[in-house]
Amino acid sequence: MKRHGGLYPQIYDFANIENAYRKARRGKRFYNEVISYTMNLEENLINLQNHLIWKSYKQGEYRHFTVTEPKTRKISALPFYDRVAQHAINNVLEPLFDKRFYYHSYACREGKGTHKASAQLKTWLRNLSFDDRPVFALKADIRNYFATVDHAVLKKLIARVIKDPDTLWLCNLLIDSGAEGVKGIPVGNLTSQLFANIYLDALDKFIKEDLKVRYYIRYMDDFVLLSHDKKELQDICQKIERFLFNKLTLSLNPKTNVFNTKNGVDFCGYRHYADYKKVRRRSAVTMCKKLTACKNGKMSRDKFIESLTSWLGHIRHADTYRLRRSMFQRIKDTLLNRKEE
């Protein structure tokens, strides 16, 4: 495996840092901290460059908050100055690792994403169903994935590709600054997304190269394997469990199971069948709760419309004509009857 050196000067190159600033401010240019940073842009960019050159860069303090959709997660956000630094690092490292990643790994990668992952899974289900044999799926995810990434293992995986000691110093600094103790990377960091994919790329290679699984797809720590042989998938599941525990110090979620795909495969926000796909039931339930909150004045109409627009963008990728028609009628009946404050 070829290892790369001479990367550190590319990271602190001024043109790269300037490009990182433009990426970091995308969609946030009117935030107070972005405006403040931009007012002294050249000075701030040169300051970051100098800290990187002299290896005096230290990561700032995280701001922690919790999101509840689609599930409850603790998010850690860095100051804008550090987000610029993370983009500068990612600009150089991400292309080197991405070309090594498994093709059907779809999370946090250019040209991938949930919709392409969903479409690929549906294509495989349709193709495997042509000969009328039952199709089985192993649906699995990693238990507390981001919180259980082992720092020492991650550093070794990065060092397999990068030999530049200065770049390794910077990566190690980010890894060790991200969480207390020797395990965990923060959800919310740009580099955490890259590190998370690097970590599980070892699993991808084990499944594809050692176990020779043909139909395998992954979106971050959620993954699906397909086969006509249920017993084969059960045996593979045990091998995956042993590999995760012995090599990556990870474990599978207890909900991991093997089942007949005629009941649908829940993946990337949709329930997939051979001929069609639906959205998760809880997605519609959540939208109805927001509608009720809007009716009762607990959510503004603007906020509700924002959520509705996002939801419609999500469900339009599935077979949801009846659901959309029903929701629009419910909205019409509910909001027209809402008492004006």
Side-chain angles (χ1 to χ4, degrees):
M1 177 184 291
K2 180 182 178 181
R3 298 174 71 217
H4 296 271
L7 301 176
Y8 199 63
Q10 298 178 40
I11 293 174
Y12 67 65
D13 179 76
F14 189 82
N16 179 53
I17 294 176
E18 189 175 27
N19 175 265
Y21 156 74
R22 289 195 295 269
K23 287 184 176 180
R25 75 171 186 180
R26 193 173 296 161
K28 302 179 178 67
R29 63 173 61 196
F30 298 114
Y31 286 25
N32 289 336
E33 65 173 335
V34 180
I35 293 173
S36 178
Y37 189 94
T38 305
M39 288 177 65
N40 298 292
L41 180 59
E42 186 173 2
E43 178 183 341
N44 286 324
L45 296 182
I46 292 174
N47 181 53
L48 174 58
Q49 182 186 43
N50 287 333
H51 278 303
L52 290 173
I53 289 173
W54 298 107
K55 296 173 67 174
S56 58
Y57 171 75
K58 293 182 180 180
Q59 190 169 268
E61 295 293 325
Y62 283 100
R63 176 174 59 87
H64 302 288
F65 59 95
T66 301
V67 297
T68 58
E69 293 182 21
K71 60 182 179 181
T72 301
R73 292 179 299 168
K74 179 183 177 182
I75 305 297
S76 302
L78 284 168
F80 184 73
Y81 174 87
D82 295 288
R83 297 203 295 274
V84 174
Q86 297 229 342
H87 275 282
I89 298 163
N90 199 69
N91 283 348
V92 175
L93 299 190
E94 193 271 341
L96 298 179
F97 284 97
D98 188 77
K99 63 185 179 182
R100 298 168 179 264
F101 289 158
Y102 171 52
Y103 182 83
H104 292 298
S105 166
Y106 285 88
C108 307
R109 297 178 65 192
E110 188 74 26
K112 302 290 185 177
T114 57
H115 299 310
K116 288 197 174 182
S118 173
Q120 183 61 62
L121 178 59
K122 186 172 178 293
T123 297
W124 283 349
L125 287 171
R126 184 178 65 249
N127 293 345
L128 285 169
S129 68
F130 282 155
D131 59 4
D132 293 326
R133 287 189 293 164
V135 180
F136 296 94
L138 166 58
K139 172 69 171 64
D141 66 87
I142 310 297
R143 186 175 189 176
N144 297 325
Y145 176 49
F146 277 80
T148 53
V149 169
D150 187 282
H151 291 186
V153 174
L154 176 58
K155 291 173 183 177
K156 289 180 182 178
L157 292 172
I158 293 173
R160 288 181 183 178
V161 179
I162 297 173
K163 62 182 179 181
D164 180 356
D166 291 335
T167 303
L168 290 175
W169 164 81
L170 184 57
C171 289
N172 293 345
L173 183 149
L174 296 180
I175 293 168
D176 292 333
S177 298
E180 297 179 2
V182 296
K183 285 197 173 185
I185 53 177
V187 179
N189 269 6
L190 180 67
T191 52
S192 289
Q193 298 171 5
L194 175 61
F195 292 159
N197 270 332
I198 291 171
Y199 205 80
L200 284 187
D201 186 58
L203 172 65
D204 297 340
K205 287 179 170 54
F206 172 72
I207 292 175
K208 292 299 295 183
E209 297 173 8
D210 293 8
L211 302 183
K212 309 295 183 182
V213 176
R214 182 175 181 181
Y215 299 103
Y216 162 63
I217 190 169
R218 179 173 66 83
Y219 189 91
M220 196 50 73
D221 62 319
D222 291 330
F223 56 94
V224 177
L225 291 76
L226 301 176
S227 174
H228 289 297
D229 190 333
K230 183 176 183 179
K231 180 64 167 59
E232 178 189 36
L233 289 179
Q234 291 171 336
D235 292 341
I236 286 173
C237 183
Q238 294 179 358
K239 293 176 181 178
I240 290 174
E241 283 187 295
R242 288 196 293 270
F243 175 83
L244 288 172
F245 182 79
N246 293 329
K247 300 296 184 180
L248 300 178
T249 69
L250 300 174
S251 60
L252 292 177
N253 190 305
K255 294 181 180 179
T256 297
N257 67 327
V258 177
F259 54 90
N260 195 314
T261 60
K262 68 180 181 180
N263 300 315
V265 181
D266 194 352
F267 186 63
C268 286
Y270 303 97
R271 196 158 190 84
H272 301 78
Y273 301 84
D275 299 319
Y276 62 96
K277 66 180 178 180
K278 297 289 188 181
V279 294
R280 292 169 175 163
R281 182 177 180 275
R282 71 168 181 248
S283 175
V285 171
T286 299
M287 202 66 238
C288 289
K289 289 181 178 179
K290 290 181 178 180
L291 176 59
T292 301
C294 182
K295 175 186 176 182
N296 295 334
K298 296 180 179 179
M299 175 183 280
S300 70
R301 290 200 182 205
D302 288 344
K303 188 69 175 177
F304 173 74
I305 291 172
E306 181 182 327
S307 295
L308 177 65
T309 302
S310 175
W311 183 71
L312 290 173
H314 170 69
I315 70 170
R316 71 181 179 85
H317 292 274
D319 301 281
T320 55
Y321 172 76
R322 291 183 183 178
L323 174 61
R324 282 177 283 153
R325 186 175 179 180
S326 172
M327 183 60 70
F328 281 130
Q329 186 61 49
R330 186 189 292 262
I331 292 170
K332 181 180 177 181
D333 294 342
T334 302
L335 294 188
L336 286 179
N337 294 330
R338 176 183 171 186
K339 294 181 179 179
E340 295 292 337
E341 295 181 3

